[in-house]
mmCIF file of all heavy atoms in Angstrom:
data_model
loop_
_atom_site.group_PDB
_atom_site.id
_atom_site.type_symbol
_atom_site.label_atom_id
_atom_site.label_comp_id
_atom_site.label_asym_id
_atom_site.label_seq_id
_atom_site.Cartn_x
_atom_site.Cartn_y
_atom_site.Cartn_z
ATOM 1 N N THR A 1 -3.945 9.847 -16.468
ATOM 2 C CA THR A 1 -3.742 10.790 -15.376
ATOM 3 C C THR A 1 -4.518 12.065 -15.693
ATOM 4 O O THR A 1 -4.344 12.658 -16.751
ATOM 5 C CB THR A 1 -2.254 11.140 -15.180
ATOM 6 O OG1 THR A 1 -1.534 9.946 -14.905
ATOM 7 C CG2 THR A 1 -2.083 12.113 -14.029
ATOM 8 N N ILE A 2 -5.389 12.444 -14.772
ATOM 9 C CA ILE A 2 -6.122 13.695 -14.869
ATOM 10 C C ILE A 2 -5.481 14.704 -13.934
ATOM 11 O O ILE A 2 -5.360 14.452 -12.710
ATOM 12 C CB ILE A 2 -7.619 13.508 -14.503
ATOM 13 C CG1 ILE A 2 -8.297 12.576 -15.514
ATOM 14 C CG2 ILE A 2 -8.340 14.835 -14.427
ATOM 15 C CD1 ILE A 2 -9.730 12.250 -15.187
ATOM 16 N N TRP A 3 -5.016 15.823 -14.477
ATOM 17 C CA TRP A 3 -4.310 16.822 -13.692
ATOM 18 C C TRP A 3 -5.305 17.910 -13.274
ATOM 19 O O TRP A 3 -5.947 18.549 -14.083
ATOM 20 C CB TRP A 3 -3.176 17.442 -14.524
ATOM 21 C CG TRP A 3 -2.112 16.424 -14.879
ATOM 22 C CD1 TRP A 3 -2.061 15.640 -15.980
ATOM 23 C CD2 TRP A 3 -0.966 16.097 -14.107
ATOM 24 N NE1 TRP A 3 -0.955 14.824 -15.956
ATOM 25 C CE2 TRP A 3 -0.256 15.081 -14.809
ATOM 26 C CE3 TRP A 3 -0.449 16.553 -12.897
ATOM 27 C CZ2 TRP A 3 0.947 14.554 -14.336
ATOM 28 C CZ3 TRP A 3 0.727 16.013 -12.394
ATOM 29 C CH2 TRP A 3 1.413 15.027 -13.146
ATOM 30 N N LYS A 4 -5.422 18.095 -11.936
ATOM 31 C CA LYS A 4 -6.403 19.012 -11.367
ATOM 32 C C LYS A 4 -5.722 20.069 -10.509
ATOM 33 O O LYS A 4 -4.519 19.995 -10.249
ATOM 34 C CB LYS A 4 -7.400 18.215 -10.505
ATOM 35 C CG LYS A 4 -8.064 17.049 -11.188
ATOM 36 C CD LYS A 4 -9.168 17.442 -12.137
ATOM 37 C CE LYS A 4 -10.354 18.024 -11.430
ATOM 38 N NZ LYS A 4 -11.488 18.301 -12.343
ATOM 39 N N ASP A 5 -6.537 21.003 -9.988
ATOM 40 C CA ASP A 5 -6.003 22.026 -9.089
ATOM 41 C C ASP A 5 -6.168 21.629 -7.636
ATOM 42 O O ASP A 5 -6.062 22.458 -6.738
ATOM 43 C CB ASP A 5 -6.655 23.378 -9.356
ATOM 44 C CG ASP A 5 -8.181 23.341 -9.231
ATOM 45 O OD1 ASP A 5 -8.730 22.248 -9.001
ATOM 46 O OD2 ASP A 5 -8.821 24.408 -9.420
ATOM 47 N N VAL A 6 -6.438 20.345 -7.385
ATOM 48 C CA VAL A 6 -6.511 19.803 -6.024
ATOM 49 C C VAL A 6 -5.513 18.646 -5.922
ATOM 50 O O VAL A 6 -5.085 18.104 -6.938
ATOM 51 C CB VAL A 6 -7.958 19.301 -5.707
ATOM 52 C CG1 VAL A 6 -8.919 20.468 -5.569
ATOM 53 C CG2 VAL A 6 -8.439 18.318 -6.765
ATOM 54 N N PRO A 7 -5.133 18.253 -4.700
ATOM 55 C CA PRO A 7 -4.100 17.209 -4.563
ATOM 56 C C PRO A 7 -4.499 15.857 -5.081
ATOM 57 O O PRO A 7 -3.659 14.981 -5.326
ATOM 58 C CB PRO A 7 -3.889 17.164 -3.027
ATOM 59 C CG PRO A 7 -4.400 18.441 -2.488
ATOM 60 C CD PRO A 7 -5.519 18.840 -3.397
ATOM 61 N N GLY A 8 -5.789 15.613 -5.261
ATOM 62 C CA GLY A 8 -6.314 14.325 -5.694
ATOM 63 C C GLY A 8 -7.808 14.322 -5.397
ATOM 64 O O GLY A 8 -8.445 15.386 -5.341
ATOM 65 N N VAL A 9 -8.364 13.141 -5.220
ATOM 66 C CA VAL A 9 -9.759 13.052 -4.812
ATOM 67 C C VAL A 9 -9.838 13.301 -3.314
ATOM 68 O O VAL A 9 -9.200 12.584 -2.538
ATOM 69 C CB VAL A 9 -10.366 11.667 -5.170
ATOM 70 C CG1 VAL A 9 -11.790 11.597 -4.696
ATOM 71 C CG2 VAL A 9 -10.300 11.440 -6.687
ATOM 72 N N LEU A 10 -10.614 14.295 -2.906
ATOM 73 C CA LEU A 10 -10.781 14.603 -1.507
ATOM 74 C C LEU A 10 -12.113 14.046 -1.017
ATOM 75 O O LEU A 10 -13.027 13.764 -1.802
ATOM 76 C CB LEU A 10 -10.756 16.137 -1.305
ATOM 77 C CG LEU A 10 -9.506 16.853 -1.828
ATOM 78 C CD1 LEU A 10 -9.656 18.368 -1.662
ATOM 79 C CD2 LEU A 10 -8.239 16.357 -1.133
ATOM 80 N N ASN A 11 -12.244 13.912 0.285
ATOM 81 C CA ASN A 11 -13.487 13.347 0.831
ATOM 82 C C ASN A 11 -14.632 14.365 0.881
ATOM 83 O O ASN A 11 -15.746 14.004 1.224
ATOM 84 C CB ASN A 11 -13.242 12.748 2.211
ATOM 85 C CG ASN A 11 -13.082 13.802 3.283
ATOM 86 O OD1 ASN A 11 -12.396 14.816 3.090
ATOM 87 N ND2 ASN A 11 -13.692 13.572 4.424
ATOM 88 N N ALA A 12 -14.352 15.615 0.533
ATOM 89 C CA ALA A 12 -15.387 16.641 0.472
ATOM 90 C C ALA A 12 -14.851 17.799 -0.353
ATOM 91 O O ALA A 12 -13.635 17.982 -0.487
ATOM 92 C CB ALA A 12 -15.787 17.115 1.860
ATOM 93 N N ASP A 13 -15.755 18.609 -0.892
ATOM 94 C CA ASP A 13 -15.382 19.761 -1.673
ATOM 95 C C ASP A 13 -14.870 20.838 -0.710
ATOM 96 O O ASP A 13 -15.586 21.192 0.242
ATOM 97 C CB ASP A 13 -16.579 20.252 -2.464
ATOM 98 C CG ASP A 13 -16.221 21.325 -3.492
ATOM 99 O OD1 ASP A 13 -15.319 22.125 -3.215
ATOM 100 O OD2 ASP A 13 -16.840 21.324 -4.567
ATOM 101 N N PRO A 14 -13.673 21.404 -0.928
ATOM 102 C CA PRO A 14 -13.172 22.472 -0.049
ATOM 103 C C PRO A 14 -14.084 23.695 0.030
ATOM 104 O O PRO A 14 -13.979 24.467 0.969
ATOM 105 C CB PRO A 14 -11.814 22.823 -0.671
ATOM 106 C CG PRO A 14 -11.408 21.624 -1.466
ATOM 107 C CD PRO A 14 -12.701 21.026 -1.964
ATOM 108 N N LYS A 15 -14.979 23.846 -0.951
ATOM 109 C CA LYS A 15 -15.941 24.945 -0.884
ATOM 110 C C LYS A 15 -16.898 24.785 0.274
ATOM 111 O O LYS A 15 -17.440 25.755 0.777
ATOM 112 C CB LYS A 15 -16.741 25.018 -2.198
ATOM 113 C CG LYS A 15 -15.964 25.502 -3.409
ATOM 114 C CD LYS A 15 -16.861 25.693 -4.596
ATOM 115 C CE LYS A 15 -17.519 24.420 -5.033
ATOM 116 N NZ LYS A 15 -18.317 24.571 -6.304
ATOM 117 N N TRP A 16 -17.124 23.537 0.722
ATOM 118 C CA TRP A 16 -18.112 23.274 1.763
ATOM 119 C C TRP A 16 -17.464 22.910 3.105
ATOM 120 O O TRP A 16 -18.103 23.062 4.141
ATOM 121 C CB TRP A 16 -19.009 22.129 1.330
ATOM 122 C CG TRP A 16 -19.744 22.398 0.045
ATOM 123 C CD1 TRP A 16 -19.479 21.868 -1.168
ATOM 124 C CD2 TRP A 16 -20.827 23.291 -0.138
ATOM 125 N NE1 TRP A 16 -20.354 22.371 -2.126
ATOM 126 C CE2 TRP A 16 -21.183 23.250 -1.530
ATOM 127 C CE3 TRP A 16 -21.566 24.144 0.678
ATOM 128 C CZ2 TRP A 16 -22.225 24.007 -2.053
ATOM 129 C CZ3 TRP A 16 -22.585 24.887 0.142
ATOM 130 C CH2 TRP A 16 -22.905 24.814 -1.213
ATOM 131 N N PHE A 17 -16.241 22.416 3.066
ATOM 132 C CA PHE A 17 -15.580 21.983 4.317
ATOM 133 C C PHE A 17 -14.224 22.648 4.439
ATOM 134 O O PHE A 17 -13.436 22.674 3.491
ATOM 135 C CB PHE A 17 -15.393 20.450 4.325
ATOM 136 C CG PHE A 17 -16.641 19.665 4.599
ATOM 137 C CD1 PHE A 17 -17.578 19.438 3.627
ATOM 138 C CD2 PHE A 17 -16.876 19.179 5.897
ATOM 139 C CE1 PHE A 17 -18.740 18.726 3.885
ATOM 140 C CE2 PHE A 17 -18.023 18.446 6.165
ATOM 141 C CZ PHE A 17 -18.951 18.228 5.156
ATOM 142 N N ASP A 18 -13.974 23.189 5.645
ATOM 143 C CA ASP A 18 -12.654 23.804 5.897
ATOM 144 C C ASP A 18 -11.563 22.728 5.956
ATOM 145 O O ASP A 18 -10.416 23.001 5.564
ATOM 146 C CB ASP A 18 -12.688 24.585 7.207
ATOM 147 C CG ASP A 18 -13.599 25.805 7.137
ATOM 148 O OD1 ASP A 18 -13.746 26.346 6.019
ATOM 149 O OD2 ASP A 18 -14.148 26.195 8.187
ATOM 150 N N GLU A 19 -11.888 21.550 6.433
ATOM 151 C CA GLU A 19 -10.913 20.486 6.557
ATOM 152 C C GLU A 19 -11.339 19.317 5.674
ATOM 153 O O GLU A 19 -12.446 18.762 5.841
ATOM 154 C CB GLU A 19 -10.767 20.030 8.000
ATOM 155 C CG GLU A 19 -10.204 21.112 8.936
ATOM 156 C CD GLU A 19 -10.021 20.613 10.364
ATOM 157 O OE1 GLU A 19 -10.229 19.406 10.597
ATOM 158 O OE2 GLU A 19 -9.707 21.427 11.241
ATOM 159 N N THR A 20 -10.471 18.924 4.752
ATOM 160 C CA THR A 20 -10.750 17.776 3.891
ATOM 161 C C THR A 20 -9.565 16.807 3.961
ATOM 162 O O THR A 20 -8.455 17.179 4.379
ATOM 163 C CB THR A 20 -10.952 18.211 2.437
ATOM 164 O OG1 THR A 20 -9.754 18.900 1.971
ATOM 165 C CG2 THR A 20 -12.165 19.157 2.297
ATOM 166 N N GLU A 21 -9.814 15.581 3.553
ATOM 167 C CA GLU A 21 -8.771 14.552 3.531
ATOM 168 C C GLU A 21 -8.576 13.987 2.139
ATOM 169 O O GLU A 21 -9.568 13.742 1.417
ATOM 170 C CB GLU A 21 -9.112 13.439 4.510
ATOM 171 C CG GLU A 21 -9.151 13.851 5.977
ATOM 172 C CD GLU A 21 -9.390 12.688 6.913
ATOM 173 O OE1 GLU A 21 -8.681 11.672 6.778
ATOM 174 O OE2 GLU A 21 -10.299 12.764 7.765
ATOM 175 N N LEU A 22 -7.324 13.775 1.780
ATOM 176 C CA LEU A 22 -7.025 13.130 0.517
ATOM 177 C C LEU A 22 -7.298 11.633 0.599
ATOM 178 O O LEU A 22 -6.908 10.975 1.566
ATOM 179 C CB LEU A 22 -5.552 13.358 0.158
ATOM 180 C CG LEU A 22 -5.040 12.643 -1.095
ATOM 181 C CD1 LEU A 22 -5.658 13.227 -2.348
ATOM 182 C CD2 LEU A 22 -3.493 12.730 -1.151
ATOM 183 N N ILE A 23 -7.987 11.110 -0.404
ATOM 184 C CA ILE A 23 -8.202 9.656 -0.497
ATOM 185 C C ILE A 23 -7.132 9.121 -1.436
ATOM 186 O O ILE A 23 -7.149 9.373 -2.651
ATOM 187 C CB ILE A 23 -9.607 9.350 -1.026
ATOM 188 C CG1 ILE A 23 -10.653 9.955 -0.095
ATOM 189 C CG2 ILE A 23 -9.825 7.853 -1.174
ATOM 190 C CD1 ILE A 23 -12.084 9.870 -0.620
ATOM 191 N N ALA A 24 -6.192 8.349 -0.888
ATOM 192 C CA ALA A 24 -5.036 7.920 -1.661
ATOM 193 C C ALA A 24 -5.405 6.835 -2.685
ATOM 194 O O ALA A 24 -4.824 6.770 -3.777
ATOM 195 C CB ALA A 24 -3.943 7.410 -0.737
ATOM 196 N N GLN A 25 -6.357 5.982 -2.330
ATOM 197 C CA GLN A 25 -6.751 4.894 -3.215
ATOM 198 C C GLN A 25 -8.265 4.746 -3.211
ATOM 199 O O GLN A 25 -8.918 4.864 -2.186
ATOM 200 C CB GLN A 25 -6.101 3.581 -2.768
ATOM 201 C CG GLN A 25 -6.162 2.452 -3.788
ATOM 202 C CD GLN A 25 -7.481 1.676 -3.747
ATOM 203 O OE1 GLN A 25 -8.083 1.544 -2.681
ATOM 204 N NE2 GLN A 25 -7.920 1.144 -4.889
ATOM 205 N N LEU A 26 -8.812 4.514 -4.412
ATOM 206 C CA LEU A 26 -10.263 4.469 -4.586
ATOM 207 C C LEU A 26 -10.548 3.337 -5.582
ATOM 208 O O LEU A 26 -9.830 3.161 -6.557
ATOM 209 C CB LEU A 26 -10.692 5.827 -5.167
ATOM 210 C CG LEU A 26 -12.158 6.250 -5.118
ATOM 211 C CD1 LEU A 26 -12.648 6.320 -3.691
ATOM 212 C CD2 LEU A 26 -12.284 7.607 -5.793
ATOM 213 N N SER A 27 -11.603 2.591 -5.287
ATOM 214 C CA SER A 27 -11.994 1.540 -6.230
ATOM 215 C C SER A 27 -12.800 2.149 -7.376
ATOM 216 O O SER A 27 -13.397 3.214 -7.255
ATOM 217 C CB SER A 27 -12.836 0.470 -5.529
ATOM 218 O OG SER A 27 -14.090 0.993 -5.155
ATOM 219 N N TYR A 28 -12.843 1.437 -8.516
ATOM 220 C CA TYR A 28 -13.713 1.860 -9.616
ATOM 221 C C TYR A 28 -15.145 2.027 -9.126
ATOM 222 O O TYR A 28 -15.840 2.993 -9.485
ATOM 223 C CB TYR A 28 -13.705 0.829 -10.740
ATOM 224 C CG TYR A 28 -12.413 0.680 -11.512
ATOM 225 C CD1 TYR A 28 -11.835 -0.562 -11.711
ATOM 226 C CD2 TYR A 28 -11.776 1.798 -12.082
ATOM 227 C CE1 TYR A 28 -10.679 -0.709 -12.450
ATOM 228 C CE2 TYR A 28 -10.605 1.650 -12.820
ATOM 229 C CZ TYR A 28 -10.063 0.389 -13.001
ATOM 230 O OH TYR A 28 -8.908 0.262 -13.736
ATOM 231 N N HIS A 29 -15.571 1.057 -8.302
ATOM 232 C CA HIS A 29 -16.967 1.081 -7.824
ATOM 233 C C HIS A 29 -17.262 2.349 -7.051
ATOM 234 O O HIS A 29 -18.259 3.057 -7.320
ATOM 235 C CB HIS A 29 -17.217 -0.149 -6.928
ATOM 236 C CG HIS A 29 -18.652 -0.290 -6.488
ATOM 237 N ND1 HIS A 29 -19.124 -1.413 -5.883
ATOM 238 C CD2 HIS A 29 -19.710 0.552 -6.540
ATOM 239 C CE1 HIS A 29 -20.398 -1.287 -5.588
ATOM 240 N NE2 HIS A 29 -20.767 -0.062 -5.984
ATOM 241 N N ASP A 30 -16.395 2.695 -6.092
ATOM 242 C CA ASP A 30 -16.644 3.897 -5.294
ATOM 243 C C ASP A 30 -16.536 5.158 -6.157
ATOM 244 O O ASP A 30 -17.267 6.120 -5.942
ATOM 245 C CB ASP A 30 -15.649 3.959 -4.114
ATOM 246 C CG ASP A 30 -16.126 3.111 -2.921
ATOM 247 O OD1 ASP A 30 -17.327 3.010 -2.700
ATOM 248 O OD2 ASP A 30 -15.264 2.555 -2.229
ATOM 249 N N ALA A 31 -15.590 5.134 -7.090
ATOM 250 C CA ALA A 31 -15.454 6.309 -7.994
ATOM 251 C C ALA A 31 -16.714 6.530 -8.794
ATOM 252 O O ALA A 31 -17.183 7.653 -8.972
ATOM 253 C CB ALA A 31 -14.248 6.107 -8.914
ATOM 254 N N ILE A 32 -17.307 5.441 -9.318
ATOM 255 C CA ILE A 32 -18.562 5.566 -10.075
ATOM 256 C C ILE A 32 -19.676 6.087 -9.176
ATOM 257 O O ILE A 32 -20.434 6.972 -9.579
ATOM 258 C CB ILE A 32 -18.945 4.187 -10.666
ATOM 259 C CG1 ILE A 32 -17.998 3.818 -11.814
ATOM 260 C CG2 ILE A 32 -20.388 4.224 -11.184
ATOM 261 C CD1 ILE A 32 -18.175 2.413 -12.334
#
């Protein structure tokens, strides 16, 4: 478990997008 200051992996960096979405599940392939 990696503990971050964001809710999890988001679909975009909040620095660039006002609205982002949490990705609840991600494959190893997509993560790489």
Side-chain angles (χ1 to χ4, degrees):
T1 301
I2 296 177
W3 296 91
K4 307 283 291 186
D5 56 359
V6 290
V9 177
L10 305 176
N11 74 316
D13 191 324
K15 289 187 298 186
W16 302 105
F17 283 80
D18 293 331
E19 295 182 6
T20 59
E21 295 184 50
L22 175 68
I23 301 172
Q25 194 275 329
L26 197 59
S27 69
Y28 292 130
H29 185 169
D30 278 326
I32 289 172

